Structures are given as structure tokens and as C-alpha cells.
Amino acid sequence: MSDLDSSAMPGTGEDTAFLEEWDGGRHRAPTSVVRRSTIGAGAAALLGAGAVGVHGLLGGPERQTAAGAPAPARRPPGGTPSPSTTADSTSTSAPQPSPDPTTSAPPAGPGAGTPADGATTPDRDASYSSLTDPVPGDDAPEVGRRRAGRLALPVADTPASRAHVVRRAGLSSGAPAVAAVKAAGLDGWLAEQLDPSLDDPAGDHVASLFPLAGAPIATVRARVKEFSWDAMYQTGYASLGRQMFSAREVYEAVVDVFHNLLQVTIPSDGLWASGPDYEERVIRRHAFGSFTDMLLASARHPAMLVYLDNRSSTKAHVNENYGRELLELHTLGVASGYSESDVVDCARVMSGRRITGQHEFVYEPEHHATGAVSVLGWSSANSSAGGGLAVGDDLLTYLARHPATARTVARRLAVRFVSDTPSDRLLDVLSQSYLDAGTQILPVLETLFGDEEFWSSTGTKGRRPVEDLAGVVRALGVDGRTVTAGAVRDMYWQMRDLGHAPLAWPAPNGYPDVAAAWASASSMVARWNLHRRLVRGWVDGMAPRKALAADLAPADGATNAEWVAAVTTLLTGRAPTASTTAGLLAYLDAAADAPAEDPRGTTAPELARLVFDSPSYLIR
């Protein structure tokens, strides 16, 4: 098995060497000019090569995305306009992704409604067809076991395995990112990524741009006007900035997984004071820690109690919404077989958890519903109102440690890192790791990255809009230590228009993480236009690294095929597929073996942009 796809195109051996020895020194100044239209010829070439939507790239049929989710707002309250969408003015509505298939159909209950209504979300559990066919010619890493501290890796440290871990475990793309893995060693890089103390100067800089991101409730109340969404937006900006620039790539991906599992919509009505604190002290604090601790923290947090309306649940009028979502989405899942009576008793146990006028958590015994309760094997006399908080914590601990919850957590992580349809075998292995580790999350990640299914899953995941953006920004070498707040805000509104602003999914089931949910022609065109803005340096405060132009130029004596291979390898960390090569050569309108020419440097940026538009990039 070759390290990179040897059938994709001529000159692959040179591409592998280019990846291995990348130092920016193989390029020279351009030697001639080839003028091409941007969207016209380029997109047409890629369309002809089959690059239509991420779902299409993975080999599945294009599907209609689900309707019914609220359309993302284009501007925050107070009249601040969102930045213009793209340099190429293509009007597009935000896609409405279908929900994540990691949950099952809800039990019979009330009709459609908002979380505060205590109603189920009817379309939350739409499932999708299998998307497990790998990209033709995208080789899996070679097998050979290595030991990395607590990690046993079932692959050799090769260019293919490095490229796979960069694009699947991390948020990056390109030869420099792959070279960084080579420098640390495959196992060493993963060990660094799983180290909670990893230095993160770029992530720290981005966080400093938004001082209210993750701010405590009291701080937000003291610094913004009542009901202002400013702190919530800053929290969303910081989340996106970290995904674009943080050195802690795996951690940021895991934060995203668990926010979507214990979802509250940021921004949304009622969370203006508590939403930022929830993200920081519930999700981020525990993402590499204990899921039990995370679940306990969420159940005492004002943001969750407001979002699912537990603040109004009393012994006289028990609101079942939080109890239902706690079982259905946060822990067991309906496949566990819980009943409607389990939902009611869970809601009774959670009654009395309320918030003060200062948006802080308070337990009010007079509102707790006492009396015997039972939830799927757990039971309590629940005889004392004063002891109701402890009873609730005991139930939450039981739920966190339940094998069905282990399966829920395992599926979320496997869908994020392995496949839209992970195998039952892998879910069994990850679930057992979760239980053996006492609900600690890091051991589950170590098990996942040590499993052959992770390494053999090449070509089975597509980039959602945020992952697309993060990969482009990192491949272009934009410096996160100097990025501006305005640039990050601009990108946030781009993601909002695409239906993928971090933390902002409008339903309690969290963003979907499967390719079919993001299949939209209008969305794909908008992403292509965004690629062009970034490559061309048209986003103020997010300029590509200075040496990029020289690195994109054709090398002395290179043919067009070799130039296409070099640019693709530079930006994606792997050789192009045959379809990508064909599309890029069609854009150049030149023979594969003809000398590559670009004297004015006008073609190289468009070639780079089209690489980001192609299957070689959009499949991670």
C-alpha cells in the first residue's frame, strides 16, 4: 500500500517527496500568464469532475435538507449589520441542516413546539443513508502498531497516516500541518493534543479579543445592558476563532461535540446573562474531564434550566421538558427503552432547580415534588423536599454511568472522528472504555485513536462549513496571534449565513455531524466564494502568510500535472484524486505534460481556491 495515492495522477512520487521535505524552497517566480475566469471556468471544471456538495463528494445521492428550523438571523439585536456575504455577490439563503442521527425517534408525546413548551422536536432524529464508501484512491494508512504513552496506534508513522490525523482528528489542512506531525511523531502529536496543558498562544490571543466570551454571570450583568446579546455573540466569536487558530485542535473538536450533546442555543432569548458562563464552566471545563461532572454541572446551570424551562417546574405544575431531554438527548437515548412514566419521574426529581433574579442557580425545596420515583432501574423514596437536590444528583450520576449513556457518548465521538455510520463493534469498544474509566472522556479518545477503524476510515467524512473555514485558514497560514476581532466577527457571520455559527443551532439536539445534512447547492457556492475571499486576502485582518504566493507558483521545469499535484499537496497534505486533477487541468485548459506557466501570479491563487473547492480538500 502506498503512502499517498499512486493512481491519482502523474508525478505522485515527487508529490510525496514534496510533502515529506516541504520547506517552501522548491518554488520560483512565475514565468508566464494564463488568464481564466474565476467562478465560471473553475466551478464548471469541478462540477464536471463531480464535486457537487460534500454529500455528493462522498458518493451518496444528494438529499433535500430538512425544513422547519428557524433561519439564522443575519444581524444581531441593536442594528449592527452583518458583513457582506462574499466578494462574489451570490445571494444564498442559509441551509437548514437535518438533525443528527445519533439519537433515535422520540417517544410519543406532545406535538411540535419550542423547548420552552415542553414539546418534542419532530424532525430531530432524521437518519441518513450510509456514507461509508471511501474516496477512490484515498489510501488508508499502513498497519503497524506503535506505542505513545497510553496510546497504542495500529498504524505506521507515514505521510498517509499523518495526513489522515491532521484532517480527521485535527482542524488543519496542508503540508505544513503534516510536517508538524512528522516533527512530533504521529504518537507524539496525538499525545500533545490530548494534553490539557498544551500551550495555545493563538487560542489565547483570540480569546483575549472578546473579553465577555465565557464571562461569569455576574460579570455579564455588570458590563452589558439587560437582555443585550453582546456577551453571547462574543462567546460565539471566540468559539469560532479558537476552531480557526487554536493549537488545541482535538480539544476544540471535543468541545464542539459536547456542546451539541448538552445543547443550549447561544445566542437565544433568556440566556443573555448565563449562556457565556455555561459554555466556559460546563462544556469547556469538563471536555477533557468527567462526563458525570459535566452533566451534574449542566443540571445546576441557569442556562440549561432556562433553555429547557426547568426554572418554572414546581411540585404543583411539573414541566416535563428538561426531564424528557435529559433522558432522550443528554444521556440514555430512546433506544434504552425508558417509558413515559420514567420521563415524568425524572421531571419530578428535577423540580425545585430554579434561578434567582440575578440569574444564578438556586434550589427551592418548596417547589420540589416529593414521593417515590423510579427511572429505568434507579429508584428513590424522595421523601424529603430538603433532600431533593441530592436525590437529583444521585439520579444524574446514575444516568451518566448507565451503559446506554456510554453508547450515546461513544456514538457522538465516533460520528465526529470516524464515520457518519460507525460500526457497532467500535461503539461497543468505546462504550466499554467510557464505563471502565468512570465516565472520563480522555480514555475514550485514547481508545478511539488507538482503534483501526479510525485509521481505516479515510474518505468517509465531509467538512461542514466551520471545518471547511478552519482548514482553509490554517492551510493559508493566517497568523492567529495577530488576527483581528473584526476578521473573526466577519467569519462568524459568514458561518451564520451558512447555518453553522458555533453554538447557535436552534433546537436542543445540537448541530448534525453527517454529510447529508449539509448537502445544498447554494451553500456550496457560498463556500466556494468564501474560499476565494480568503485565498485572495480579501478579509481584513486575515492575510495569508507572506510566502504563500511564491509557494503556489510552478516550480522550474514543472508540468501542469506536477503543478496541480504540488499545489494540492501543499494545501491539503495529500495528492489530488484523479477527479480533482482532471478538474484542475480543465480549468487551466492545458495539457497535463505541458510546461506550467504563470508569470504574473494571477492563475496560482485561482488554482489554490479551486483546490479548496475540490473533493481532495472537502473530504476530511
Side-chain angles (χ1 to χ4, degrees), residues 213-357:
I217 293 168
T219 300
V220 174
R221 294 183 66 248
R223 295 186 59 183
V224 305
K225 293 180 180 179
E226 188 176 18
F227 307 124
S228 167
W229 286 20
D230 287 352
M232 290 191 290
Y233 276 119
Q234 287 196 29
T235 302
Y237 300 153
S239 176
L240 179 60
R242 285 167 165 147
Q243 290 185 68
M244 289 191 291
F245 298 110
S246 173
R248 303 178 68 188
E249 298 178 44
V250 173
Y251 172 74
E252 293 302 331
V254 172
V255 165
D256 181 67
V257 167
F258 283 100
H259 181 94
N260 285 294
L261 177 58
L262 301 183
Q263 160 79 356
V264 302
T265 301
I266 301 172
S268 63
D269 289 335
L271 303 191
W272 68 273
S274 59
D277 185 85
Y278 179 87
E279 178 66 8
E280 185 65 32
R281 286 156 191 82
V282 174
I283 306 301
R284 297 187 67 84
R285 176 175 291 178
H286 300 293
F288 269 5
S290 159
F291 182 69
T292 300
D293 291 345
M294 186 186 294
L295 187 66
L296 287 166
S298 72
R300 292 192 182 202
H301 201 281
M304 181 63 75
L305 301 179
V306 170
Y307 186 65
L308 294 178
D309 211 36
N310 204 73
R311 61 178 173 175
S312 64
S313 187
T314 68
K315 62 183 179 182
H317 301 284
V318 175
N319 187 298
E320 296 177 12
N321 193 43
Y322 179 48
R324 185 178 303 280
E325 308 296 25
L326 182 58
L327 300 184
E328 181 183 330
L329 296 179
H330 299 175
T331 59
L332 305 176
V334 293
S336 62
Y338 68 82
S339 66
E340 188 66 19
S341 117
D342 291 324
V343 171
V344 172
D345 278 0
C346 183
R348 292 179 63 217
V349 170
M350 292 297 115
S351 62
R353 294 177 180 237
R354 297 164 66 84
I355 66 171
T356 69

Side-chain angles (χ1 to χ4, degrees), residues 300-469:
R300 292 192 182 202
H301 201 281
M304 181 63 75
L305 301 179
V306 170
Y307 186 65
L308 294 178
D309 211 36
N310 204 73
R311 61 178 173 175
S312 64
S313 187
T314 68
K315 62 183 179 182
H317 301 284
V318 175
N319 187 298
E320 296 177 12
N321 193 43
Y322 179 48
R324 185 178 303 280
E325 308 296 25
L326 182 58
L327 300 184
E328 181 183 330
L329 296 179
H330 299 175
T331 59
L332 305 176
V334 293
S336 62
Y338 68 82
S339 66
E340 188 66 19
S341 117
D342 291 324
V343 171
V344 172
D345 278 0
C346 183
R348 292 179 63 217
V349 170
M350 292 297 115
S351 62
R353 294 177 180 237
R354 297 164 66 84
I355 66 171
T356 69
Q358 289 73 44
H359 296 265
E360 300 287 355
F361 171 77
V362 63
Y363 175 70
E364 296 178 344
E366 66 272 22
H367 291 301
H368 178 73
T370 57
V373 286
S374 175
V375 179
L376 205 66
W378 173 92
S379 62
S380 171
N382 187 34
S383 56
S384 163
L389 185 61
V391 170
D393 285 349
D394 188 61
L395 172 58
L396 291 162
T397 300
Y398 170 83
L399 293 175
R401 296 175 178 174
H402 196 283
T405 301
R407 190 84 169 182
T408 296
V409 171
R411 179 174 290 279
R412 286 279 183 167
L413 291 171
V415 167
R416 177 61 180 83
F417 290 109
V418 179
S419 168
D420 290 1
T421 54
S423 71
D424 286 337
R425 182 208 61 81
L426 178 62
L427 298 181
D428 289 343
V429 169
L430 297 181
S431 298
Q432 193 59 53
S433 176
Y434 172 92
L435 295 171
D436 291 345
T439 81
Q440 291 289 323
I441 295 164
L442 271 176
V444 183
L445 293 169
E446 293 167 358
T447 301
L448 186 152
F449 294 133
D451 195 278
E452 290 187 11
E453 190 166 334
F454 169 80
W455 297 99
S456 64
S457 64
T458 56
T460 61
K461 291 291 294 182
R463 292 183 188 268
R464 297 178 296 173
V466 166
E467 292 141 18
D468 182 353
L469 171 63

